[in-house]
Amino acid sequence: MIDEVVFVKEPPKNCSIVLGVYADGSLSPSAQKIDKNLDGIISKNLNKLNFIGKTFKTSSFLDSGDSYNHIILMGLGDPHKEFSKFELKKLGAAIYAVTRKLDSAVTVAIDAADLHFPCNCASSFMGFGALLKSWVFDKYKTSKDEEAKLKNLAMLTLDVKISEDYYGELRKIADGIFLTRQVVSEPANVIYPESLAEIAKMELLPLGVEVEILDESQMKNLGMNALLAVAQGSEHKPRLAILRWTGASNSESPIAVVGKGVTFDSGGISLKPGEKMHEMRYDMAGSGTVLGLLKAIALNKLRVNVVGVMALVENMPSGSAQRPGDVVKSMSGQTIEVLNTDAEGRMVLADALWYTQDRFNPEILIDLATLTGAIVVALGHEFAGLFSNYDQLADQLSKSAAVTGEKVWRMPMSEHFDKGIDSAIADVQNIAKSHIHGGSITAAQFLKRFINGKKWAHLDIAGVETSSEDLFICSEGATGFGVHLLYDFLRENYTTVP
Ligand code: BES
Ligand code: MN
Ligand code: ZN
């Protein structure tokens, strides 16, 4: 993993260097300068190589004589194209992917002017992308990947101070993302409600975040019987972790972020098929994102009041497990008929959402949950499903998603789906009648019954919290989706100026 990204005006000695080439075959302005100093060795090579600078395509390594260890050409596409922040992040990640095996220091000689980016912080976003890409979860491998040698990356910039300032904030967001990736990656014999709550304390208390952990008896007293019903089959006792960051004045009502934290979802008595059951160790990703988000916020001392709630349970079948057909009374007073114990996330969230509104009276309520397989069918692994009862909130989230590249797609909500979850013997049932399709909307409509007049958004992240392929900004595994998105959302819309 990259230890450090430094920002420089001139490439240091004895490094390998990355240069930009546009799709018309021309060198970027920064590359031209370096080419001139090398007596045109690069442009000559370029002709021989027949290298076309398609976006993110790279050359094989060139030898430049004594000046640099290696020269790597990176395609920048259309010479007039203005890069976005997200594309800069991807560019940095692509650069890391081709240079990770180099043991010499690497300098990226592509600056804001080469990319028509209006701020000299372009290199900060590239450095951020490289850093995100370099993270690996290898603690359980006794023989490590020896190939990832690159530790230090230097980025050429026209303004070192500006680049460092921007990178300073991004580096801390990355620390939040890495915490999310780490807890999501850990197996369920390591991460269970109690241990994840402990990690939250250990990570966040030193940063000035108040951490309060509710145990089973406290939740019982509060009447959180829907959450507890899911937990009751497991040896691991449930926890509710409440993370409070007060970055603005005490009187300001907070933004609340609630995460589904099912540390393992076997399905319960409605047991899942075996084939992919192991993937359900990721079913706490919503809570993992809340944790990483709070870390990013606290590290950057964001001027906003945020309450993070991690609803932590394990869903297991056993003699004490809830049964299909059980009826429980949620904290809201509404009764739920449990027709499928595998539709557990919505039961956990029903109580966590109600509790959060009841206690904190938040300005905005957002939940993140690996809630439905159906959202993966609908949106694949590219978009999270966004459901909301408030258009402005949905728009703000969509905007941040476009900036950070953690994409969302707004899904409809409709009373039509309410009929599908009206229970014959209780107020609501936890799955729809069999002829009703649109499982993700049904789940969102279920959650809506536990929204008590608040502006609310629900992100179904079942398709995006991990990836089975090498993505642009991360390798296979946990992505940390949502941390940067919600950080940007809070920073842009809710921070107060001092
Ligand atoms: N955690 C799962 C959803 C899930 C599925 C996440 C695949 C990631 C990948 C959730 O608890 C669940 O089991 N949902 C059921 C709901 C159904 C029983 C109505 C589903 O989607 O099949
Ligand atoms: Mn389930
Ligand atoms: Zn689940």
Side-chain angles (χ1 to χ4, degrees), residues 173-252:
I173 297 172
D175 281 336
I177 294 172
F178 295 158
L179 175 57
T180 299
R181 287 184 185 174
Q182 187 221 322
V183 295
V184 173
S185 302
E186 289 281 5
N189 58 334
V190 174
I191 292 286
Y192 43 90
E194 206 181 347
S195 68
L196 189 47
E198 273 313 306
I199 292 174
K201 265 198 206 162
M202 219 177 56
E203 287 279 343
L204 298 180
L205 281 176
L207 304 180
V209 178
E210 288 169 70
V211 180
E212 191 183 332
I213 312 289
L214 303 189
D215 65 16
E216 196 180 18
S217 71
Q218 288 167 301
M219 287 190 269
K220 212 167 253 165
N221 290 336
L222 286 161
M224 302 178 86
N225 299 313
L227 183 151
L228 292 170
V230 175
Q232 75 190 30
S234 170
E235 291 290 322
H236 289 301
K237 296 298 158 207
R239 293 286 183 273
L240 195 81
I242 301 146
L243 324 170
R244 269 195 289 175
W245 171 253
T246 311
S249 109
N250 261 322
S251 60
E252 237 168 85

Side-chain angles (χ1 to χ4, degrees), residues 46 71-72 114 147 174 178 206 216 230 252 259 299 366 382 428 479:
L46 204 56
I71 296 173
I72 301 110
D114 298 310
E147 294 200 319
F178 295 158
E216 196 180 18
V230 175
E252 237 168 85
L299 282 172
I366 299 172
E382 193 67 15
V428 64
T479 59

Side-chain angles (χ1 to χ4, degrees), residues 260 262 265 267 272 279-280 283 315 340 342-346 370-374 376 430-432 439 460-463 465:
K260 170 177 173 181
V262 177
D265 178 13
K272 285 182 181 295
E279 290 183 1
M280 286 303 123
D283 211 22
N315 187 22
N340 188 321
D342 198 10
E344 86 297 341
R346 59 198 77 181
T370 47
L371 203 60
T372 63
V376 191
N430 77 333
I431 55 167
D460 194 334
I461 57 170
E465 94 292 358

Side-chain angles (χ1 to χ4, degrees), residues 34 52 58 67 70 82-83 96 179-180 200 232 292 296 304 314 335 409 432 444 480 490:
I34 288 169
I52 306 290
T58 52
S67 309
H70 298 285
E82 183 180 323
F83 274 64
Y96 177 78
L179 175 57
T180 299
Q232 75 190 30
V304 57
E314 186 181 52
T335 52
W409 192 261
L490 291 168

Side-chain angles (χ1 to χ4, degrees), residues 8 193 296:
V8 295

Side-chain angles (χ1 to χ4, degrees), residues 1-6 96 99 102-107 149-155:
M1 193 183 135
I2 290 178
D3 295 329
E4 214 182 334
V5 179
V6 295
Y96 177 78
T99 55
L102 293 176
D103 46 11
S104 69
V106 168
T107 302
K149 295 196 182 102
L150 181 62
K151 295 283 172 225
N152 299 304
L153 194 61
M155 312 285 308

